[in-house]
Amino acid sequence: MMTPDQLIRPEILALSAYHVPPASGMVKLDAMENPFPLPEVLREDLGRLAHDAALNRYPDPSGAALKEILRESMQVPAGADIMLGNGSDEIIQILAMGLARPGAVLLGVEPSFVMYRMIAAFAGMRYVGVPLKADFKLDLPLVLETIAREKPALTFIACPNNPTGNLFPKAAIDAILDASPGVVVVDEAYHAFAGSTFMGEIPARPNLLVMRTLSKIGLAALRLGFVAGASAWLSQFEKLRLPYNINSLTQALAAQVLGQPAVLDEQARAILDERSRVMAALAALPGFEPFPSDANFILFRVADGPAVFERIKARKVLIKNLNGAHPLLANCLRVTIGTREENVAFLAALGESLND
Ligand SMILES: *Cc1c(COP(=O)(O)O)cnc(C)c1O
């Protein structure tokens, strides 16, 4: 009998699994979740929807009603198609599977969202990462040079970028779109905290796909993302989408919440207020270098980042240690913006840890 080492693809053997640390009993500020619960009345509506759901039946395979609501609430332009995913992670996987001709390249900037690289390996695409500059700005000449050399079939630009938090200039993304022979995905997971978008460019850009998720705005548990773009592309990718990938509860509950857009909008505004407070507090701490953020998290650098991470973890505050994830992220930590109380707890733990 053969062993896993002999049969599993070498690029999979080389991966380490996506790690989710245990967070029970912690102030959880590591995963860009919205910290606020939904209002009680809305939760009662959701309870009724769950009660009435026909769990014995398969879901609506197309998610037609939910797509209509997404179109409106996310301002998807007329003429653009939508494909739904079980989180935007699944959409990344579908795009990579569809474009993975032998030798095809998936291009990303680095550091950025780690799933681009992992999913390139899952799907058998060759991953090419173009480093950002030391201040996490786009090195546009290097990106354009790499596109000319590698001719990527698929390029991901997260805007705002994770884990750095910054937006890239529109002109730079326009130049990437102009130069790219393949599909360019602008991943707008943090759109609600940024206020700029490529959604409106879709009709003028046949190779542009814009991806969004509900995970960072308050519905992480439902696992719902979508991509918008030309039907010439999406009708092909639809063939790779597993039937019923969006379950009935997700379809019903997401539609209900999105039908009352003021709820999530107001929560996003509260997160932005808190972001300014946390940013100011971090900037005032001696030795701390927070980077500008257009997202619901802040990346910061501090001497001996891993030790600071462990000291605040010992005080039951969980953030993300990015030291070692990429050379540009040496001593960098990332904190998700929480409620007022959670942010106060984080800053207090940070303050105390300086005296350890
Ligand atoms: C969180 C995140 C995603 C994935 O979100 P899902 O929960 O799978 O929808 C995609 N892109 C970026 C940049 C992210 O930070």
Side-chain angles (χ1 to χ4, degrees), residues 21-339:
S24 131
M26 312 277 284
V27 175
K28 189 173 187 306
L29 301 175
D30 66 331
M32 282 78 92
E33 292 145 326
N34 171 343
F36 301 112
L38 293 168
E40 187 57 31
V41 195
L42 180 52
R43 291 169 69 175
E44 280 164 14
D45 292 343
L46 299 183
R48 265 188 300 278
L49 285 167
H51 171 275
D52 292 345
L55 298 184
N56 55 320
R57 303 290 177 196
Y58 281 109
D60 173 349
S62 70
L66 177 55
K67 278 185 181 173
E68 275 320 300
I69 289 168
L70 282 169
R71 271 187 179 284
E72 189 160 327
S73 66
M74 304 276 172
Q75 279 139 37
V76 178
D81 257 17
I82 290 187
M83 181 176 72
L84 302 180
N86 194 305
S88 40
D89 287 350
E90 189 191 38
I91 292 170
I92 302 169
Q93 187 180 49
I94 290 173
L95 303 186
M97 279 196 294
L99 291 162
R101 288 187 175 216
V105 165
L106 185 155
L107 185 136
V109 297
E110 290 196 331
S112 187
F113 188 47
V114 293
M115 291 312 292
Y116 305 147
R117 168 184 230 134
M118 290 191 72
I119 288 172
F122 301 171
M125 293 188 85
R126 187 159 65 82
Y127 174 81
V128 174
V130 183
L132 297 172
K133 297 192 211 170
D135 59 1
F136 305 124
K137 295 210 167 89
L138 212 52
D139 186 343
L140 185 60
L142 185 58
V143 174
L144 295 180
E145 189 188 306
T146 310
I147 289 173
R149 187 181 64 243
E150 304 286 354
K151 302 181 179 56
L154 181 56
T155 296
F156 283 96
I157 305 286
C159 195
N161 190 35
N162 170 14
T164 59
N166 53 320
L167 281 167
F168 299 123
K170 176 166 189 308
I173 297 179
D174 280 334
I176 290 170
L177 280 158
D178 288 337
S180 294
V183 173
V184 177
V185 181
V186 178
D187 180 349
E188 298 187 339
Y190 301 97
H191 162 258
F193 313 102
S196 88
T197 177
F198 267 73
M199 197 62 92
E201 307 284 314
I202 290 173
R205 293 280 192 184
N207 63 339
L208 166 66
L209 300 181
V210 175
M211 192 165 71
R212 298 263 183 96
T213 174
L214 301 194
S215 297
K216 314 297 160 64
I217 58 176
L219 299 175
L222 294 185
R223 305 302 298 132
L224 182 66
F226 75 92
V227 64
S231 67
W233 285 111
L234 294 191
S235 59
Q236 297 300 327
F237 292 126
E238 272 289 340
K239 300 175 190 172
L240 290 159
R241 190 175 63 83
L242 292 175
Y244 316 120
N245 65 328
I246 312 299
N247 73 71
S248 300
L249 293 177
T250 294
Q251 292 191 34
L253 304 194
Q256 184 71 19
V257 176
L258 292 172
Q260 299 178 41
V263 172
L264 297 186
D265 286 354
E266 198 180 303
Q267 294 185 343
R269 263 197 304 279
I271 290 168
L272 291 182
D273 281 353
E274 282 298 305
R275 183 179 75 193
S276 346
R277 287 170 22 83
V278 176
M279 180 64 84
L282 283 173
L285 284 174
F288 281 68
E289 184 192 3
F291 295 94
S293 172
D294 288 290
N296 63 340
F297 60 86
I298 297 174
L299 182 77
F300 60 97
R301 178 173 281 130
V302 58
D304 208 356
V308 171
F309 170 78
E310 290 299 339
R311 285 186 212 132
I312 67 171
K313 191 169 148 199
R315 292 173 167 85
K316 299 280 178 219
V317 177
L318 183 65
I319 63 170
K320 176 86 175 173
N321 177 12
L322 288 158
N323 185 65
H326 189 274
L328 290 173
L329 293 171
N331 284 315
C332 285
L333 306 177
R334 185 192 66 199
V335 63
T336 302
I337 304 302
T339 60

